[in-house]
Every structure is written in structure tokens, then in C-alpha cells.
């Protein structure tokens, strides 16, 4: 590429820029792989990079050609910190094919410009290409960057307060640890995909329809931001402050929101399927019937949780279901609240079974128990009773007992949520008892004939009488016109006791349902 004398010869594809821009370990490897040589041996010749398709987008056929300002570079490209906006503005280059003058011209190429600490307040750079620019500590407040291409730029400590970044491309950005300020910025339709913007301030910003797929926006302040219709699929927003933020219609599928503050945030019509909300504050969060929380949470379905902490996924699942239960109840969706209650109990059941299996694998508990009894027995007699009580408590608290009690609760009443199960069990109990009674015999109180399978009565009548007796015993009505004989008396005792218990359970389950 020829550069006229006295003009800036900056080519966006020059090796120097690429190397500094792709300073990441991974990117360097990628570059080395693509070039096929060691990075230090590669010349600054553009031809070496032709094979890199994604680097072609940086503008292979473009050279700067603005007037030289310092060190062979124009004012935009020179390595000088804290440039003044008047200098930058004067050096704007109108496109070759139009006669339109600065600053109204569009689609200006400003690839790889060096704007560290530059003052760019209120500057008009809409639809310009600024790929690979250095923007650390720059002041972009009140600037117009609408539709600008800012992909692959370097951020950190940038102030974009009240800036217009609508439809701007902010993809693949690597921001340093310094906070970027996007407060009150207009970011409608902006594309933040694959970017890293931790610790940034988005308070009061308008992010409607923004794309934040795979973006790292953890520990950010989104308070009072409007994020309606945004694509936040797989985004990383851990520990961010989303107080009073509006997320209507947003897609947060598989987004990581662990430890976020979502107080009073609006998630109506949003999709939170498979999102990771462990330890997030959901108080006063606003959802509606179209808000998708998914049937099962991420932590229950995943086998290997990728999030960094040591908490087992099932523990997190219990937490999430409990939080969802409260959330749906607060928002007035009792059937959803019931669903999450059942899921919570189901995960607890799974967890206790897991522990039971673990317990069976480790026998250290048994000697500990023996030691416990030993120490208790050896101590003064007054302690023996307490020791026995403690030991029985330990036995009852054994994971196996817990697992079994969960299992019974699940099978009998679906953790106290299904009256139909109680009714079904009751009917089954009555029928089974009715089949058993004639084996021992039932006696009419007035007559002397005993109803058994071997009596002269037809089998249907035996069954009808027995069923009547069984129902009357179950409901503890007992008119006294029938009485069991033999071991049937024992069965009648068990049946009336079970009947009373199941009736009480039915009342409990029905009353529970009414309180959701
Ligand atoms: Zn230049």
C-alpha cells in the first residue's frame, strides 16, 4: 500500500496494531496459528494476515492518509494521551467519494485510533468505524456514537454518560478493571455480545433491544435501567445491582445472575429459563403469567455446575425453588407456587437419598454412635435417659429415615398437595379390607349367620355386604348391625384407626390448598 508523503500511513491491518489489540494469550495463540509462525518473527507485512478472515473485517484495503501530526501519524492515530477534541475534530477526513464536509459525513473510517484519556465530549461519530480503537479513560459523555462500530475496542475508565450508542456495535470488547460509566446512556439495539464490561455503571440507561449474548456484565449497576426486549442469553451478570431495573420481554435464558440484587425489578413477559439465580435478591420482583421460569431450574438439570463456588447443585436447586415459590406466591400465582413447592420437596428427597447412599458407603458413623452410647452409659444415671433420647433422635434423623419419610409423603399426598391421592388410597384401603373380611367372617347382630366366602350367599352379595361393612368401619360410623369375628376384629381396628388418620389428612391437604 502506497502512502503519499506527509500523510499518516496508518493501516488498520498493520501488525503493530493487531499485536497490541490481540494481547490476550488465547488471541495470540490464534494469531500464531493462523500465520503459522512465531509471533515475534512475523513481519509487519499485511500479506501474512490475509488468511485471517475475522481480521479482514478490520479493513485490509484501508490506509489513513490524514495529515501527519506527530511521529509520522495523524492526530487520531498518534500515540498521545489526553488529546483535545478540537484537534481531533479539525482532522476529520471526508470520504473520498463524496463532497460532504465534516462533521456531517457518514461512515468515516477511524479504525485503530488512539484515544486514551481523550476529551470527546459531545463529539459526533455516528455510523463511524472505530474498530480496534484505544478508548481507555476517554470521556465520551454526551457524544453521538449512534450506529458506530466499536467492536474489538479497548475500554476501561471510559465515561459514556448520556451518550447515544443506539445500534452501536460493542462486540468483543475487553474492558479493564476500571469502571465504565454508561449512566443515562441511550443503548437501544446496541450489541454487547461476547464483550467484557465488569464493574460498569448502567444506571438509568436505556438498553431496549440490546444484545448481550455471552457478555460479562458482572458486578454492574443496572438500577433504574430499562432493558426491555434485550437479548441476554448466556450473559454473565453475577453480583450486579438490578434494583428497579425494567426487563420486560427480555430473554435471559441461561443468564448467570447469581448474587444479583433484583429488588423491584420488572421481569414481565421475560424468559428466565435455565437462568442461574442462586442467592439473588428477588424481593418485590415483578413477574406475570408470561414470565417463563421453566419447569425445572438449571441447577437440577445440570450435572456439572460451571459456576465457581463449592455449593452442590441440588443445594442451589432447593434454594431456587424456595425463592420461586415465594416469588410466584407474592405475584399471585398459586398453582405455580404449588409447582415450585413440590419441586423443592422433590429435590430435598433426591438430596436425602443421595446422602443415604453416601451414608451407606461410609461406616464411620456407626462407631461414632457406639462411642456416643458408651460415653452416655458410663456417665451418671440421670444422663442415661437423656442419652437414650439423644440416640433415638439420631436414629430418627438418619438420612434413610428422612428419605423414607419424604418418599411416603410424596407417594401418599404429593407432599401434602394432592387430595386425590388421599382419596385414592382411602378407596383402595376400603376395597382391600372388604376382600379380606369374609376370610375371617362378619356376623349380623340380629341373625346368627356369619358372612364368609364359604357361606350359602352368592358371592356378589358377600362382596356388597363386606364392602358396606368396610366403608362403615373406615368412616368409624359403626351402626352396630355387623360385627367382625376372629382376626377380622383386629383388621377392623386397624381400618377404623387408618380411616380416622386418612380423613384428618384429607382435611389437612384441602385446607393447605386453600391457603396458597
Ligand atoms: Zn491516521
Amino acid at each position: 500500500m502506497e502512502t503519499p508523503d506527509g500523510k499518516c500511513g496508518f493501516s488498520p491491518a498493520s501488525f503493530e496494531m493487531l499485536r497490541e489489540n490481540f494481547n490476550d494469550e488465547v488471541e495470540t495463540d490464534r494469531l500464531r496459528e493462523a500465520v503459522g509462525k512465531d509471533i515475534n518473527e512475523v513481519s509487519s507485512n499485511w500479506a501474512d494476515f490475509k488468511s485471517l478472515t475475522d481480521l479482514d473485517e478490520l479493513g485490509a484495503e484501508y490506509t489513513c492518509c490524514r495529515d501527519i501530526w506527530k511521529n509520522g501519524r495523524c492526530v487520531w492515530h498518534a500515540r498521545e494521551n489526553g488529546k483535545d477534541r478540537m484537534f481531533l475534530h479539525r482532522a476529520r477526513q471526508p470520504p473520498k467519494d463524496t463532497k460532504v464536509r465534516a462533521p456531517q459525513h457518514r461512515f468515516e473510517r477511524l479504525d485503530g485510533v488512539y484515544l486514551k484519556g481523550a476529551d470527546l465530549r459531545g463529539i459526533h461519530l455516528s455510523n463511524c468505524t472505530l474498530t480496534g480503537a484505544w478508548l481507555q479513560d476517554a470521556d465520551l459523555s454526551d457524544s453521538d456514537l449512534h450506529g458506530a462500530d466499536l467492536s474489538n475496542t479497548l475500554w476501561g475508565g471510559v465515561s459514556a454518560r448520556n451518550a447515544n450508542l443506539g445500534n452501536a456495535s460493542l462486540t468483543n470488547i475487553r474492558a479493564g478493571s476500571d469502571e465504565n460509566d454508561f449512566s443515562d446512556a441511550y443503548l437501544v439495539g446496541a450489541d454487547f455480545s461476547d464483550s467484557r464490561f465488569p464493574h460498569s455503571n448502567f444506571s438509568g440507561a436505556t438498553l431496549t433491544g440490546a444484545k448481550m449474548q455471552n457478555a460479562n456484565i458482572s458486578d454492574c449497576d443496572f438500577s433504574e435501567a430499562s432493558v426491555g426486549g434485550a437479548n441476554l442469553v448466556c450473559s454473565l451478570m453475577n453480583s450486579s445491582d438490578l434494583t428497579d431495573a425494567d426487563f420486560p420481554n427480555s430473554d435471559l435464558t441461561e443468564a448467570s445472575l447469581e448474587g444479583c440484587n433484583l429488588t423491584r425489578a420488572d421481569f414481565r413477559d421475560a424468559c428466565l429459563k435455565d437462568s442461574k439465580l442462586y442467592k439473588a435478591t428477588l424481593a418485590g420482583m415483578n413477574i406475570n403469567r408470561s414470565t417463563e421460569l421453566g419447569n425445572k431450574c438449571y441447577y437440577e438439570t445440570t450435572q456439572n455446575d460451571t459456576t465457581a463456588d463449592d455449593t452442590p447443585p441440588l443445594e442451589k436447586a432447593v434454594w431456587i425453588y424456595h425463592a420461586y415459590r415465594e416469588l410466584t406466591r407474592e405475584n399471585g400465582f398459586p398453582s405455580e407456587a404449588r409447582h415450585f413447592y413440590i419441586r423443592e420437596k422433590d429435590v430435598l428427597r433426591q438430596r436425602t437419598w443421595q446422602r443415604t447412599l453416601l451414608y451407606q458407603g461410609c461406616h464411620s458413623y456407626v462407631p461414632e454412635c457406639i462411642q456416643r452410647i458408651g460415653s452416655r452409659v458410663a456417665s451418671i444415671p440421670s444422663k442415661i435417659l437423656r442419652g437414650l433420647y439423644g440416640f433415638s433422635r439420631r436414629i430418627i434423623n438418619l438420612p434413610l429415615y428422612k428419605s423414607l419419610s419424604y418418599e411416603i409423603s410424596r407417594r401418599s399426598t404429593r407432599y401434602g398437595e394432592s387430595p386425590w391421592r388421599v382419596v385414592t388410597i382411602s378407596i383402595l384401603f376400603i376395597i382391600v379390607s372388604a376382600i379380606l373380611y369374609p376370610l375371617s367372617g362378619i356376623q349380623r347382630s340380629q341373625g346368627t349367620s356369619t358372612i364368609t366366602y364359604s357361606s350359602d350367599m352368592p358371592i356378589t352379595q358377600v362382596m356388597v355386604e363386606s364392602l358396606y361393612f368396610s366403608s362403615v368401619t373406615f368412616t368409624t360410623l359403626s351402626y352396630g348391625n355387623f360385627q367382625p369375628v376372629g382376626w377380622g376384629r383386629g383388621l377392623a381396628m386397624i381400618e377404623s384407626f387408618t380411616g380416622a388418620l386418612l380423613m384428618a389428612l384429607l382435611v389437612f391437604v384441602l385446607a393447605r390448598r386453600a391457603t396458597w
Side-chain angles (χ1 to χ4, degrees):
M1 250 174 277
E2 297 273 316
T3 311
D5 289 338
K7 299 281 181 188
C8 168
F10 182 87
S11 165
S14 73
F15 178 66
E16 186 186 10
M17 176 219 155
L18 287 171
R19 197 165 123 178
E20 288 207 24
N21 217 1
F22 290 79
N23 49 4
D24 239 320
E25 194 73 34
V26 186
E27 299 286 1
T28 313
D29 280 348
R30 212 158 60 106
L31 199 69
R32 188 188 295 144
E33 202 178 289
V35 177
K37 291 179 192 172
D38 194 285
I39 194 140
N40 296 318
E41 291 170 15
V42 182
S43 70
S44 59
N45 188 351
W46 166 243
D48 285 337
F49 299 99
K50 281 283 185 199
S51 56
L52 269 169
T53 47
D54 55 335
L55 297 184
D56 275 345
E57 288 167 18
L58 292 171
E61 302 304 324
Y62 171 73
T63 328
C64 175
C65 291
R66 289 184 188 87
D67 291 332
I68 284 179
W69 181 61
K70 261 180 197 172
N71 307 326
R73 291 281 169 86
C74 70
V75 67
W76 283 88
H77 285 120
R79 297 293 165 89
E80 195 69 24
N81 288 1
K83 288 172 197 166
D84 190 78
R85 60 185 157 156
M86 283 318 291
F87 280 119
L88 293 164
H89 184 70
R90 266 185 232 133
R92 297 289 291 275
Q93 177 193 33
K96 284 159 193 158
D97 53 342
T98 57
K99 290 198 169 75
V100 189
R101 284 173 169 256
Q104 291 93 340
H105 59 258
R106 294 275 183 252
F107 312 115
E108 189 176 5
R109 297 297 300 257
L110 291 161
D111 314 58
V113 289
Y114 190 88
L115 300 168
K116 249 187 198 175
D119 174 13
L120 295 156
R121 280 172 298 160
I123 201 160
H124 292 268
L125 288 167
S126 56
N127 293 310
C128 289
T129 308
L130 285 132
T131 33
W134 277 261
L135 291 166
Q136 293 101 320
D137 301 311
D139 190 354
L140 292 163
S141 41
D142 302 304
S143 63
D144 182 9
L145 286 154
H146 188 269
D149 185 357
L150 290 150
S151 53
N152 293 304
T153 45
L154 292 167
W155 289 59
V158 176
S159 169
R161 237 187 126 75
N162 208 17
N164 179 357
L165 284 152
N167 290 319
S169 169
L170 294 143
T171 56
N172 213 4
I173 284 172
R174 276 172 286 288
S177 53
D178 295 330
E179 181 189 304
N180 296 291
D181 188 3
F182 287 98
S183 53
D184 301 311
Y186 180 82
L187 293 153
V188 176
D191 190 353
F192 285 91
S193 317
D194 306 306
S195 285
R196 286 206 295 249
F197 272 108
H199 327 292
S200 294
N201 180 6
F202 286 91
S203 59
T206 314
L207 286 137
T208 317
K211 297 178 208 71
M212 291 200 174
Q213 205 162 338
N214 291 317
N216 177 348
I217 30 179
S218 53
D219 209 6
C220 289
D221 183 2
F222 278 91
S223 51
E224 289 175 51
S226 172
V227 201
N231 178 356
L232 291 150
V233 178
C234 297
S235 60
L236 188 67
M237 299 171 82
N238 291 351
S239 313
S240 288
D241 182 9
L242 305 162
T243 318
D244 292 311
D246 295 331
F247 285 85
N249 242 324
S250 294
D251 189 356
L252 287 119
T253 314
E254 283 187 51
S256 186
L257 296 152
E258 288 191 359
C260 279
N261 184 359
L262 298 159
T263 313
R264 296 186 301 276
D266 184 359
F267 280 90
R268 280 176 292 181
D269 300 304
C271 178
L272 283 160
K273 218 173 151 214
D274 287 330
S275 57
K276 298 149 214 167
L277 282 156
Y278 181 62
K279 292 275 172 191
T281 315
L282 310 178
M285 197 173 129
N286 216 335
I287 57 164
N288 65 358
R289 214 163 268 287
S290 305
T291 307
E292 208 177 317
L293 296 169
N295 272 331
K296 284 189 176 185
C297 73
Y298 168 82
Y299 303 108
E300 194 187 346
T301 48
T302 187
Q303 290 304 313
N304 36 354
D305 183 22
T306 47
T307 41
D309 60 66
D310 300 330
T311 321
L314 283 184
E315 201 86 70
K316 290 184 176 183
V318 171
W319 194 94
I320 285 289
Y321 287 136
H322 185 84
Y324 278 2
R325 170 157 71 100
E326 293 299 311
L327 178 68
T328 43
R329 193 150 67 166
E330 264 177 28
N331 283 273
F333 305 120
S335 58
E336 279 78 4
R338 252 201 320 268
H339 167 78
F340 289 121
Y341 169 74
I342 292 168
R343 288 252 47 85
E344 182 190 342
K345 290 286 177 185
D346 228 20
V347 176
L348 277 169
R349 183 183 58 85
Q350 281 177 43
R351 205 183 56 176
T352 42
W353 272 124
Q354 248 181 29
R355 282 188 188 165
T356 309
L357 298 173
L358 276 175
Y359 163 70
Q360 281 170 356
C362 99
H363 300 285
S364 63
Y365 184 72
V366 180
E368 191 200 317
C369 266
I370 293 163
Q371 210 183 328
R372 225 166 237 267
I373 308 167
S375 68
R376 295 245 157 100
V377 167
S379 64
I380 45 170
S382 67
K383 273 194 173 176
I384 292 175
L385 214 67
R386 225 189 305 163
L388 279 170
Y389 172 72
F391 180 66
S392 63
R393 278 290 303 271
R394 281 306 284 262
I395 293 289
I396 288 160
N397 283 344
L398 276 179
L400 181 67
Y401 281 80
K402 266 194 170 175
S403 311
L404 285 174
S405 78
Y406 270 122
E407 207 60 54
I408 291 164
S409 168
R410 178 178 175 234
R411 305 276 166 201
S412 61
T413 61
R414 218 155 171 233
Y415 312 110
E417 284 307 313
S418 173
W420 293 112
R421 287 202 182 192
V422 185
V423 172
T424 313
I425 288 167
S426 302
I427 290 169
L428 279 174
F429 202 86
I430 291 169
I431 291 170
V432 170
S433 300
I435 293 165
L436 291 175
Y437 281 122
L439 291 174
S440 159
I442 320 163
Q443 201 173 31
R444 279 182 210 271
S445 52
Q446 289 98 352
T448 45
S449 62
T450 310
I451 303 161
T452 56
Y453 284 120
S454 52
S455 63
D456 308 336
M457 260 187 223
I459 187 78
T460 44
Q461 205 190 335
V462 171
M463 277 326 297
V464 168
E465 300 276 8
S466 181
L467 203 60
Y468 169 73
F469 175 70
S470 183
S471 319
V472 163
T473 312
F474 187 86
T475 52
T476 59
L477 263 174
S478 181
Y479 294 117
N481 48 356
F482 283 105
Q483 40 187 261
V485 287
W487 54 263
R489 283 178 292 182
L491 180 62
M493 212 169 69
I494 295 167
E495 193 183 5
S496 60
F497 180 70
T498 315
L501 266 183
L502 284 170
M503 294 284 228
L505 191 62
L506 183 65
V507 171
F508 166 75
V509 172
L510 285 172
R512 232 192 100 79
R513 277 176 73 94
T515 53
W516 277 109

